[in-house]
Amino acid sequence: MFPKTILLSLIVLTGCDDAKYCTEIGCMNGFTLTFVGPSGEDVANVSGSISSSMMSADSIAFDCSAEGSGENYYCDGNSVTFFIEDMDTVFVTADSDPYIISTEVSLDWEESTPNGEDCPPVCYNASAEVSMEMASPPQ
């Protein structure tokens, strides 16, 4: 016969099989646009605006040649992250001498759970590359 302590230990261990451990990592939802030139070169110091029919504001201006961040965006090299979600496309108008672009960009959102499966929060992020063109020389 098993001693009581061994039997009790077996019961406790089998009762722990369904234990769930979650970390407490947070997240910010949004999308990142990475700006490149015609040959794939990084284009930094970009400024411009984004708009979408799904935004409450008409547009959001951004300027990565200045401080590097604003209320709704963050600049990092040739990438700009916007802390906005729930839109399928955005219209981007941007320039960084000698580059320029006005285009519509499709966003494919991905869901992630940084604290583990079945643990909150659920994060939603998207990213897209924006290929800029050379500005036309004055004539």
PDB file of all heavy atoms in Angstrom, residues 67-106:
ATOM      1  N   GLU A  67      11.082  65.320 -35.540  1.00  0.00           N
ATOM      2  CA  GLU A  67      11.313  64.652 -34.267  1.00  0.00           C
ATOM      3  C   GLU A  67      11.311  63.131 -34.358  1.00  0.00           C
ATOM      4  O   GLU A  67      11.897  62.456 -33.529  1.00  0.00           O
ATOM      5  CB  GLU A  67      10.257  65.095 -33.249  1.00  0.00           C
ATOM      6  CG  GLU A  67      10.340  66.558 -32.906  1.00  0.00           C
ATOM      7  CD  GLU A  67       9.247  66.972 -31.940  1.00  0.00           C
ATOM      8  OE1 GLU A  67       8.652  66.100 -31.286  1.00  0.00           O
ATOM      9  OE2 GLU A  67       8.986  68.173 -31.852  1.00  0.00           O
ATOM     10  N   GLY A  68      10.621  62.576 -35.311  1.00  0.00           N
ATOM     11  CA  GLY A  68      10.620  61.128 -35.448  1.00  0.00           C
ATOM     12  C   GLY A  68       9.368  60.447 -34.952  1.00  0.00           C
ATOM     13  O   GLY A  68       9.234  59.248 -35.120  1.00  0.00           O
ATOM     14  N   SER A  69       8.461  61.193 -34.352  1.00  0.00           N
ATOM     15  CA  SER A  69       7.200  60.573 -33.945  1.00  0.00           C
ATOM     16  C   SER A  69       6.147  61.642 -33.715  1.00  0.00           C
ATOM     17  O   SER A  69       6.465  62.811 -33.555  1.00  0.00           O
ATOM     18  CB  SER A  69       7.376  59.733 -32.677  1.00  0.00           C
ATOM     19  OG  SER A  69       7.732  60.556 -31.594  1.00  0.00           O
ATOM     20  N   GLY A  70       4.918  61.190 -33.721  1.00  0.00           N
ATOM     21  CA  GLY A  70       3.798  62.089 -33.478  1.00  0.00           C
ATOM     22  C   GLY A  70       2.773  61.360 -32.632  1.00  0.00           C
ATOM     23  O   GLY A  70       3.028  60.274 -32.110  1.00  0.00           O
ATOM     24  N   GLU A  71       1.611  61.929 -32.526  1.00  0.00           N
ATOM     25  CA  GLU A  71       0.561  61.347 -31.690  1.00  0.00           C
ATOM     26  C   GLU A  71       0.124  59.977 -32.188  1.00  0.00           C
ATOM     27  O   GLU A  71      -0.122  59.074 -31.399  1.00  0.00           O
ATOM     28  CB  GLU A  71      -0.642  62.287 -31.644  1.00  0.00           C
ATOM     29  CG  GLU A  71      -1.745  61.802 -30.720  1.00  0.00           C
ATOM     30  CD  GLU A  71      -2.899  62.784 -30.655  1.00  0.00           C
ATOM     31  OE1 GLU A  71      -2.708  63.981 -30.917  1.00  0.00           O
ATOM     32  OE2 GLU A  71      -4.001  62.322 -30.346  1.00  0.00           O
ATOM     33  N   ASN A  72       0.028  59.787 -33.505  1.00  0.00           N
ATOM     34  CA  ASN A  72      -0.480  58.538 -34.073  1.00  0.00           C
ATOM     35  C   ASN A  72       0.548  57.747 -34.867  1.00  0.00           C
ATOM     36  O   ASN A  72       0.190  56.813 -35.570  1.00  0.00           O
ATOM     37  CB  ASN A  72      -1.671  58.827 -34.997  1.00  0.00           C
ATOM     38  CG  ASN A  72      -2.842  59.395 -34.235  1.00  0.00           C
ATOM     39  OD1 ASN A  72      -3.170  58.922 -33.161  1.00  0.00           O
ATOM     40  ND2 ASN A  72      -3.459  60.426 -34.778  1.00  0.00           N
ATOM     41  N   TYR A  73       1.821  58.123 -34.798  1.00  0.00           N
ATOM     42  CA  TYR A  73       2.829  57.421 -35.594  1.00  0.00           C
ATOM     43  C   TYR A  73       4.182  57.443 -34.903  1.00  0.00           C
ATOM     44  O   TYR A  73       4.442  58.252 -34.022  1.00  0.00           O
ATOM     45  CB  TYR A  73       2.932  58.011 -36.994  1.00  0.00           C
ATOM     46  CG  TYR A  73       3.535  59.401 -37.046  1.00  0.00           C
ATOM     47  CD1 TYR A  73       4.909  59.585 -37.212  1.00  0.00           C
ATOM     48  CD2 TYR A  73       2.740  60.528 -36.927  1.00  0.00           C
ATOM     49  CE1 TYR A  73       5.460  60.844 -37.247  1.00  0.00           C
ATOM     50  CE2 TYR A  73       3.289  61.798 -36.978  1.00  0.00           C
ATOM     51  CZ  TYR A  73       4.652  61.951 -37.135  1.00  0.00           C
ATOM     52  OH  TYR A  73       5.197  63.201 -37.163  1.00  0.00           O
ATOM     53  N   TYR A  74       5.055  56.522 -35.372  1.00  0.00           N
ATOM     54  CA  TYR A  74       6.421  56.435 -34.866  1.00  0.00           C
ATOM     55  C   TYR A  74       7.355  56.157 -36.039  1.00  0.00           C
ATOM     56  O   TYR A  74       7.105  55.233 -36.824  1.00  0.00           O
ATOM     57  CB  TYR A  74       6.545  55.321 -33.825  1.00  0.00           C
ATOM     58  CG  TYR A  74       7.962  55.077 -33.377  1.00  0.00           C
ATOM     59  CD1 TYR A  74       8.586  55.928 -32.480  1.00  0.00           C
ATOM     60  CD2 TYR A  74       8.682  53.997 -33.880  1.00  0.00           C
ATOM     61  CE1 TYR A  74       9.890  55.717 -32.076  1.00  0.00           C
ATOM     62  CE2 TYR A  74       9.993  53.785 -33.482  1.00  0.00           C
ATOM     63  CZ  TYR A  74      10.589  54.644 -32.584  1.00  0.00           C
ATOM     64  OH  TYR A  74      11.886  54.435 -32.188  1.00  0.00           O
ATOM     65  N   CYS A  75       8.420  56.917 -36.201  1.00  0.00           N
ATOM     66  CA  CYS A  75       9.392  56.751 -37.288  1.00  0.00           C
ATOM     67  C   CYS A  75      10.597  55.959 -36.785  1.00  0.00           C
ATOM     68  O   CYS A  75      11.075  56.177 -35.674  1.00  0.00           O
ATOM     69  CB  CYS A  75       9.881  58.110 -37.774  1.00  0.00           C
ATOM     70  SG  CYS A  75       8.579  59.185 -38.381  1.00  0.00           S
ATOM     71  N   ASP A  76      11.085  55.071 -37.653  1.00  0.00           N
ATOM     72  CA  ASP A  76      12.282  54.297 -37.336  1.00  0.00           C
ATOM     73  C   ASP A  76      13.002  54.005 -38.653  1.00  0.00           C
ATOM     74  O   ASP A  76      12.610  53.085 -39.380  1.00  0.00           O
ATOM     75  CB  ASP A  76      11.916  52.997 -36.615  1.00  0.00           C
ATOM     76  CG  ASP A  76      13.143  52.194 -36.208  1.00  0.00           C
ATOM     77  OD1 ASP A  76      14.232  52.784 -36.080  1.00  0.00           O
ATOM     78  OD2 ASP A  76      13.008  50.971 -36.016  1.00  0.00           O
ATOM     79  N   GLY A  77      14.020  54.809 -38.969  1.00  0.00           N
ATOM     80  CA  GLY A  77      14.741  54.639 -40.232  1.00  0.00           C
ATOM     81  C   GLY A  77      13.829  54.916 -41.418  1.00  0.00           C
ATOM     82  O   GLY A  77      13.293  56.001 -41.555  1.00  0.00           O
ATOM     83  N   ASN A  78      13.627  53.884 -42.259  1.00  0.00           N
ATOM     84  CA  ASN A  78      12.753  54.071 -43.420  1.00  0.00           C
ATOM     85  C   ASN A  78      11.361  53.490 -43.190  1.00  0.00           C
ATOM     86  O   ASN A  78      10.596  53.317 -44.123  1.00  0.00           O
ATOM     87  CB  ASN A  78      13.390  53.460 -44.676  1.00  0.00           C
ATOM     88  CG  ASN A  78      13.491  51.953 -44.624  1.00  0.00           C
ATOM     89  OD1 ASN A  78      13.793  51.386 -43.581  1.00  0.00           O
ATOM     90  ND2 ASN A  78      13.247  51.302 -45.737  1.00  0.00           N
ATOM     91  N   SER A  79      11.020  53.211 -41.935  1.00  0.00           N
ATOM     92  CA  SER A  79       9.697  52.668 -41.596  1.00  0.00           C
ATOM     93  C   SER A  79       8.911  53.640 -40.731  1.00  0.00           C
ATOM     94  O   SER A  79       9.477  54.332 -39.886  1.00  0.00           O
ATOM     95  CB  SER A  79       9.840  51.347 -40.845  1.00  0.00           C
ATOM     96  OG  SER A  79      10.422  50.375 -41.670  1.00  0.00           O
ATOM     97  N   VAL A  80       7.608  53.671 -40.957  1.00  0.00           N
ATOM     98  CA  VAL A  80       6.704  54.490 -40.148  1.00  0.00           C
ATOM     99  C   VAL A  80       5.590  53.572 -39.652  1.00  0.00           C
ATOM    100  O   VAL A  80       4.925  52.917 -40.453  1.00  0.00           O
ATOM    101  CB  VAL A  80       6.089  55.657 -40.954  1.00  0.00           C
ATOM    102  CG1 VAL A  80       5.244  56.540 -40.037  1.00  0.00           C
ATOM    103  CG2 VAL A  80       7.161  56.469 -41.654  1.00  0.00           C
ATOM    104  N   THR A  81       5.412  53.517 -38.345  1.00  0.00           N
ATOM    105  CA  THR A  81       4.345  52.707 -37.755  1.00  0.00           C
ATOM    106  C   THR A  81       3.225  53.640 -37.329  1.00  0.00           C
ATOM    107  O   THR A  81       3.458  54.627 -36.626  1.00  0.00           O
ATOM    108  CB  THR A  81       4.858  51.907 -36.550  1.00  0.00           C
ATOM    109  OG1 THR A  81       5.912  51.035 -37.002  1.00  0.00           O
ATOM    110  CG2 THR A  81       3.748  51.080 -35.923  1.00  0.00           C
ATOM    111  N   PHE A  82       2.013  53.308 -37.770  1.00  0.00           N
ATOM    112  CA  PHE A  82       0.822  54.079 -37.427  1.00  0.00           C
ATOM    113  C   PHE A  82      -0.001  53.266 -36.440  1.00  0.00           C
ATOM    114  O   PHE A  82      -0.253  52.085 -36.673  1.00  0.00           O
ATOM    115  CB  PHE A  82       0.001  54.378 -38.688  1.00  0.00           C
ATOM    116  CG  PHE A  82       0.733  55.241 -39.671  1.00  0.00           C
ATOM    117  CD1 PHE A  82       1.506  54.673 -40.672  1.00  0.00           C
ATOM    118  CD2 PHE A  82       0.659  56.623 -39.579  1.00  0.00           C
ATOM    119  CE1 PHE A  82       2.200  55.468 -41.568  1.00  0.00           C
ATOM    120  CE2 PHE A  82       1.349  57.425 -40.480  1.00  0.00           C
ATOM    121  CZ  PHE A  82       2.123  56.850 -41.471  1.00  0.00           C
ATOM    122  N   PHE A  83      -0.426  53.884 -35.358  1.00  0.00           N
ATOM    123  CA  PHE A  83      -1.180  53.203 -34.314  1.00  0.00           C
ATOM    124  C   PHE A  83      -2.674  53.305 -34.595  1.00  0.00           C
ATOM    125  O   PHE A  83      -3.439  53.900 -33.845  1.00  0.00           O
ATOM    126  CB  PHE A  83      -0.804  53.764 -32.942  1.00  0.00           C
ATOM    127  CG  PHE A  83       0.673  53.703 -32.698  1.00  0.00           C
ATOM    128  CD1 PHE A  83       1.432  54.856 -32.640  1.00  0.00           C
ATOM    129  CD2 PHE A  83       1.311  52.479 -32.573  1.00  0.00           C
ATOM    130  CE1 PHE A  83       2.804  54.795 -32.435  1.00  0.00           C
ATOM    131  CE2 PHE A  83       2.684  52.408 -32.371  1.00  0.00           C
ATOM    132  CZ  PHE A  83       3.427  53.566 -32.297  1.00  0.00           C
ATOM    133  N   ILE A  84      -3.044  52.731 -35.724  1.00  0.00           N
ATOM    134  CA  ILE A  84      -4.417  52.752 -36.216  1.00  0.00           C
ATOM    135  C   ILE A  84      -4.719  51.337 -36.699  1.00  0.00           C
ATOM    136  O   ILE A  84      -3.825  50.639 -37.175  1.00  0.00           O
ATOM    137  CB  ILE A  84      -4.556  53.726 -37.404  1.00  0.00           C
ATOM    138  CG1 ILE A  84      -4.069  55.117 -37.009  1.00  0.00           C
ATOM    139  CG2 ILE A  84      -5.987  53.783 -37.902  1.00  0.00           C
ATOM    140  CD1 ILE A  84      -3.877  56.023 -38.196  1.00  0.00           C
ATOM    141  N   GLU A  85      -5.958  50.921 -36.594  1.00  0.00           N
ATOM    142  CA  GLU A  85      -6.318  49.584 -37.069  1.00  0.00           C
ATOM    143  C   GLU A  85      -7.672  49.610 -37.770  1.00  0.00           C
ATOM    144  O   GLU A  85      -8.253  50.664 -37.952  1.00  0.00           O
ATOM    145  CB  GLU A  85      -6.340  48.605 -35.893  1.00  0.00           C
ATOM    146  CG  GLU A  85      -7.287  49.019 -34.780  1.00  0.00           C
ATOM    147  CD  GLU A  85      -7.227  48.100 -33.589  1.00  0.00           C
ATOM    148  OE1 GLU A  85      -7.479  46.896 -33.761  1.00  0.00           O
ATOM    149  OE2 GLU A  85      -6.922  48.591 -32.495  1.00  0.00           O
ATOM    150  N   ASP A  86      -8.121  48.441 -38.161  1.00  0.00           N
ATOM    151  CA  ASP A  86      -9.454  48.254 -38.755  1.00  0.00           C
ATOM    152  C   ASP A  86      -9.636  48.942 -40.104  1.00  0.00           C
ATOM    153  O   ASP A  86     -10.651  49.595 -40.335  1.00  0.00           O
ATOM    154  CB  ASP A  86     -10.566  48.717 -37.802  1.00  0.00           C
ATOM    155  CG  ASP A  86     -10.599  47.908 -36.529  1.00  0.00           C
ATOM    156  OD1 ASP A  86     -10.239  46.719 -36.566  1.00  0.00           O
ATOM    157  OD2 ASP A  86     -11.003  48.464 -35.492  1.00  0.00           O
ATOM    158  N   MET A  87      -8.657  48.814 -40.982  1.00  0.00           N
ATOM    159  CA  MET A  87      -8.823  49.315 -42.346  1.00  0.00           C
ATOM    160  C   MET A  87      -8.097  48.365 -43.289  1.00  0.00           C
ATOM    161  O   MET A  87      -7.100  47.762 -42.926  1.00  0.00           O
ATOM    162  CB  MET A  87      -8.328  50.744 -42.490  1.00  0.00           C
ATOM    163  CG  MET A  87      -6.889  50.976 -42.100  1.00  0.00           C
ATOM    164  SD  MET A  87      -6.436  52.713 -42.066  1.00  0.00           S
ATOM    165  CE  MET A  87      -7.407  53.306 -40.706  1.00  0.00           C
ATOM    166  N   ASP A  88      -8.653  48.220 -44.487  1.00  0.00           N
ATOM    167  CA  ASP A  88      -8.076  47.308 -45.466  1.00  0.00           C
ATOM    168  C   ASP A  88      -7.080  47.996 -46.384  1.00  0.00           C
ATOM    169  O   ASP A  88      -6.150  47.361 -46.875  1.00  0.00           O
ATOM    170  CB  ASP A  88      -9.180  46.668 -46.320  1.00  0.00           C
ATOM    171  CG  ASP A  88     -10.098  45.794 -45.484  1.00  0.00           C
ATOM    172  OD1 ASP A  88      -9.612  45.174 -44.523  1.00  0.00           O
ATOM    173  OD2 ASP A  88     -11.296  45.738 -45.803  1.00  0.00           O
ATOM    174  N   THR A  89      -7.287  49.272 -46.655  1.00  0.00           N
ATOM    175  CA  THR A  89      -6.392  50.023 -47.529  1.00  0.00           C
ATOM    176  C   THR A  89      -6.182  51.427 -46.979  1.00  0.00           C
ATOM    177  O   THR A  89      -7.028  51.963 -46.269  1.00  0.00           O
ATOM    178  CB  THR A  89      -6.960  50.154 -48.970  1.00  0.00           C
ATOM    179  OG1 THR A  89      -8.216  50.818 -48.907  1.00  0.00           O
ATOM    180  CG2 THR A  89      -7.128  48.800 -49.628  1.00  0.00           C
ATOM    181  N   VAL A  90      -5.030  51.999 -47.313  1.00  0.00           N
ATOM    182  CA  VAL A  90      -4.750  53.398 -46.990  1.00  0.00           C
ATOM    183  C   VAL A  90      -4.185  54.063 -48.235  1.00  0.00           C
ATOM    184  O   VAL A  90      -3.516  53.420 -49.048  1.00  0.00           O
ATOM    185  CB  VAL A  90      -3.762  53.574 -45.814  1.00  0.00           C
ATOM    186  CG1 VAL A  90      -4.381  53.166 -44.510  1.00  0.00           C
ATOM    187  CG2 VAL A  90      -2.467  52.847 -46.059  1.00  0.00           C
ATOM    188  N   PHE A  91      -4.484  55.332 -48.393  1.00  0.00           N
ATOM    189  CA  PHE A  91      -3.909  56.113 -49.469  1.00  0.00           C
ATOM    190  C   PHE A  91      -2.734  56.871 -48.885  1.00  0.00           C
ATOM    191  O   PHE A  91      -2.869  57.566 -47.880  1.00  0.00           O
ATOM    192  CB  PHE A  91      -4.939  57.073 -50.078  1.00  0.00           C
ATOM    193  CG  PHE A  91      -4.435  57.709 -51.334  1.00  0.00           C
ATOM    194  CD1 PHE A  91      -4.440  57.007 -52.533  1.00  0.00           C
ATOM    195  CD2 PHE A  91      -3.926  58.995 -51.319  1.00  0.00           C
ATOM    196  CE1 PHE A  91      -3.944  57.577 -53.697  1.00  0.00           C
ATOM    197  CE2 PHE A  91      -3.432  59.579 -52.465  1.00  0.00           C
ATOM    198  CZ  PHE A  91      -3.446  58.867 -53.665  1.00  0.00           C
ATOM    199  N   VAL A  92      -1.567  56.707 -49.502  1.00  0.00           N
ATOM    200  CA  VAL A  92      -0.329  57.303 -48.995  1.00  0.00           C
ATOM    201  C   VAL A  92       0.178  58.349 -49.981  1.00  0.00           C
ATOM    202  O   VAL A  92       0.303  58.073 -51.175  1.00  0.00           O
ATOM    203  CB  VAL A  92       0.767  56.220 -48.813  1.00  0.00           C
ATOM    204  CG1 VAL A  92       2.055  56.844 -48.291  1.00  0.00           C
ATOM    205  CG2 VAL A  92       0.288  55.112 -47.903  1.00  0.00           C
ATOM    206  N   THR A  93       0.453  59.530 -49.468  1.00  0.00           N
ATOM    207  CA  THR A  93       1.127  60.578 -50.231  1.00  0.00           C
ATOM    208  C   THR A  93       2.364  60.933 -49.433  1.00  0.00           C
ATOM    209  O   THR A  93       2.254  61.296 -48.256  1.00  0.00           O
ATOM    210  CB  THR A  93       0.228  61.820 -50.402  1.00  0.00           C
ATOM    211  OG1 THR A  93      -0.976  61.422 -51.062  1.00  0.00           O
ATOM    212  CG2 THR A  93       0.917  62.896 -51.206  1.00  0.00           C
ATOM    213  N   ALA A  94       3.556  60.772 -50.054  1.00  0.00           N
ATOM    214  CA  ALA A  94       4.787  61.002 -49.299  1.00  0.00           C
ATOM    215  C   ALA A  94       5.896  61.489 -50.212  1.00  0.00           C
ATOM    216  O   ALA A  94       5.872  61.262 -51.422  1.00  0.00           O
ATOM    217  CB  ALA A  94       5.209  59.715 -48.606  1.00  0.00           C
ATOM    218  N   ASP A  95       6.890  62.149 -49.591  1.00  0.00           N
ATOM    219  CA  ASP A  95       8.077  62.547 -50.340  1.00  0.00           C
ATOM    220  C   ASP A  95       9.282  62.604 -49.413  1.00  0.00           C
ATOM    221  O   ASP A  95       9.152  62.743 -48.202  1.00  0.00           O
ATOM    222  CB  ASP A  95       7.872  63.890 -51.046  1.00  0.00           C
ATOM    223  CG  ASP A  95       7.713  65.040 -50.088  1.00  0.00           C
ATOM    224  OD1 ASP A  95       8.738  65.550 -49.605  1.00  0.00           O
ATOM    225  OD2 ASP A  95       6.556  65.426 -49.816  1.00  0.00           O
ATOM    226  N   SER A  96      10.423  62.437 -50.025  1.00  0.00           N
ATOM    227  CA  SER A  96      11.724  62.589 -49.383  1.00  0.00           C
ATOM    228  C   SER A  96      12.699  62.823 -50.521  1.00  0.00           C
ATOM    229  O   SER A  96      13.013  61.903 -51.276  1.00  0.00           O
ATOM    230  CB  SER A  96      12.110  61.339 -48.592  1.00  0.00           C
ATOM    231  OG  SER A  96      13.389  61.498 -48.015  1.00  0.00           O
ATOM    232  N   ASP A  97      13.101  64.063 -50.700  1.00  0.00           N
ATOM    233  CA  ASP A  97      13.887  64.474 -51.858  1.00  0.00           C
ATOM    234  C   ASP A  97      15.002  63.476 -52.158  1.00  0.00           C
ATOM    235  O   ASP A  97      15.768  63.138 -51.259  1.00  0.00           O
ATOM    236  CB  ASP A  97      14.470  65.864 -51.586  1.00  0.00           C
ATOM    237  CG  ASP A  97      15.068  66.484 -52.831  1.00  0.00           C
ATOM    238  OD1 ASP A  97      14.570  66.211 -53.933  1.00  0.00           O
ATOM    239  OD2 ASP A  97      16.043  67.251 -52.680  1.00  0.00           O
ATOM    240  N   PRO A  98      15.061  62.913 -53.331  1.00  0.00           N
ATOM    241  CA  PRO A  98      14.367  63.201 -54.583  1.00  0.00           C
ATOM    242  C   PRO A  98      13.205  62.252 -54.876  1.00  0.00           C
ATOM    243  O   PRO A  98      12.813  62.086 -56.029  1.00  0.00           O
ATOM    244  CB  PRO A  98      15.480  63.004 -55.619  1.00  0.00           C
ATOM    245  CG  PRO A  98      16.242  61.836 -55.089  1.00  0.00           C
ATOM    246  CD  PRO A  98      16.193  62.009 -53.585  1.00  0.00           C
ATOM    247  N   TYR A  99      12.636  61.596 -53.861  1.00  0.00           N
ATOM    248  CA  TYR A  99      11.598  60.590 -54.074  1.00  0.00           C
ATOM    249  C   TYR A  99      10.210  61.146 -53.766  1.00  0.00           C
ATOM    250  O   TYR A  99      10.049  62.053 -52.947  1.00  0.00           O
ATOM    251  CB  TYR A  99      11.846  59.367 -53.183  1.00  0.00           C
ATOM    252  CG  TYR A  99      13.211  58.772 -53.349  1.00  0.00           C
ATOM    253  CD1 TYR A  99      14.208  59.026 -52.420  1.00  0.00           C
ATOM    254  CD2 TYR A  99      13.503  57.948 -54.432  1.00  0.00           C
ATOM    255  CE1 TYR A  99      15.471  58.474 -52.563  1.00  0.00           C
ATOM    256  CE2 TYR A  99      14.765  57.391 -54.580  1.00  0.00           C
ATOM    257  CZ  TYR A  99      15.743  57.659 -53.647  1.00  0.00           C
ATOM    258  OH  TYR A  99      16.995  57.113 -53.788  1.00  0.00           O
ATOM    259  N   ILE A 100       9.204  60.533 -54.405  1.00  0.00           N
ATOM    260  CA  ILE A 100       7.819  60.955 -54.208  1.00  0.00           C
ATOM    261  C   ILE A 100       6.910  59.757 -54.492  1.00  0.00           C
ATOM    262  O   ILE A 100       7.263  58.862 -55.252  1.00  0.00           O
ATOM    263  CB  ILE A 100       7.479  62.156 -55.118  1.00  0.00           C
ATOM    264  CG1 ILE A 100       6.169  62.794 -54.703  1.00  0.00           C
ATOM    265  CG2 ILE A 100       7.505  61.757 -56.582  1.00  0.00           C
ATOM    266  CD1 ILE A 100       5.955  64.172 -55.296  1.00  0.00           C
ATOM    267  N   ILE A 101       5.731  59.755 -53.872  1.00  0.00           N
ATOM    268  CA  ILE A 101       4.755  58.687 -54.143  1.00  0.00           C
ATOM    269  C   ILE A 101       3.356  59.148 -53.739  1.00  0.00           C
ATOM    270  O   ILE A 101       3.185  59.892 -52.772  1.00  0.00           O
ATOM    271  CB  ILE A 101       5.110  57.372 -53.416  1.00  0.00           C
ATOM    272  CG1 ILE A 101       4.274  56.197 -53.911  1.00  0.00           C
ATOM    273  CG2 ILE A 101       4.954  57.520 -51.913  1.00  0.00           C
ATOM    274  CD1 ILE A 101       4.553  55.758 -55.297  1.00  0.00           C
ATOM    275  N   SER A 102       2.373  58.750 -54.499  1.00  0.00           N
ATOM    276  CA  SER A 102       0.950  58.863 -54.162  1.00  0.00           C
ATOM    277  C   SER A 102       0.338  57.551 -54.627  1.00  0.00           C
ATOM    278  O   SER A 102       0.261  57.300 -55.834  1.00  0.00           O
ATOM    279  CB  SER A 102       0.284  60.035 -54.879  1.00  0.00           C
ATOM    280  OG  SER A 102       0.610  61.248 -54.270  1.00  0.00           O
ATOM    281  N   THR A 103      -0.070  56.729 -53.683  1.00  0.00           N
ATOM    282  CA  THR A 103      -0.552  55.395 -54.036  1.00  0.00           C
ATOM    283  C   THR A 103      -1.481  54.842 -52.968  1.00  0.00           C
ATOM    284  O   THR A 103      -1.484  55.312 -51.832  1.00  0.00           O
ATOM    285  CB  THR A 103       0.641  54.434 -54.250  1.00  0.00           C
ATOM    286  OG1 THR A 103       0.181  53.211 -54.794  1.00  0.00           O
ATOM    287  CG2 THR A 103       1.381  54.153 -52.945  1.00  0.00           C
ATOM    288  N   GLU A 104      -2.229  53.852 -53.353  1.00  0.00           N
ATOM    289  CA  GLU A 104      -3.083  53.122 -52.411  1.00  0.00           C
ATOM    290  C   GLU A 104      -2.345  51.856 -51.995  1.00  0.00           C
ATOM    291  O   GLU A 104      -1.758  51.172 -52.833  1.00  0.00           O
ATOM    292  CB  GLU A 104      -4.415  52.774 -53.067  1.00  0.00           C
ATOM    293  CG  GLU A 104      -5.423  52.191 -52.099  1.00  0.00           C
ATOM    294  CD  GLU A 104      -6.788  52.041 -52.739  1.00  0.00           C
ATOM    295  OE1 GLU A 104      -6.925  51.146 -53.601  1.00  0.00           O
ATOM    296  OE2 GLU A 104      -7.684  52.812 -52.383  1.00  0.00           O
ATOM    297  N   VAL A 105      -2.356  51.555 -50.709  1.00  0.00           N
ATOM    298  CA  VAL A 105      -1.644  50.403 -50.172  1.00  0.00           C
ATOM    299  C   VAL A 105      -2.641  49.477 -49.484  1.00  0.00           C
ATOM    300  O   VAL A 105      -3.435  49.923 -48.648  1.00  0.00           O
ATOM    301  CB  VAL A 105      -0.561  50.860 -49.159  1.00  0.00           C
ATOM    302  CG1 VAL A 105       0.125  49.664 -48.525  1.00  0.00           C
ATOM    303  CG2 VAL A 105       0.451  51.774 -49.826  1.00  0.00           C
ATOM    304  N   SER A 106      -2.603  48.195 -49.849  1.00  0.00           N
ATOM    305  CA  SER A 106      -3.451  47.183 -49.204  1.00  0.00           C
ATOM    306  C   SER A 106      -2.764  46.674 -47.945  1.00  0.00           C
ATOM    307  O   SER A 106      -1.550  46.451 -47.937  1.00  0.00           O
ATOM    308  CB  SER A 106      -3.694  46.005 -50.144  1.00  0.00           C
ATOM    309  OG  SER A 106      -4.412  46.414 -51.271  1.00  0.00           O
TER     310      SER A 106
END
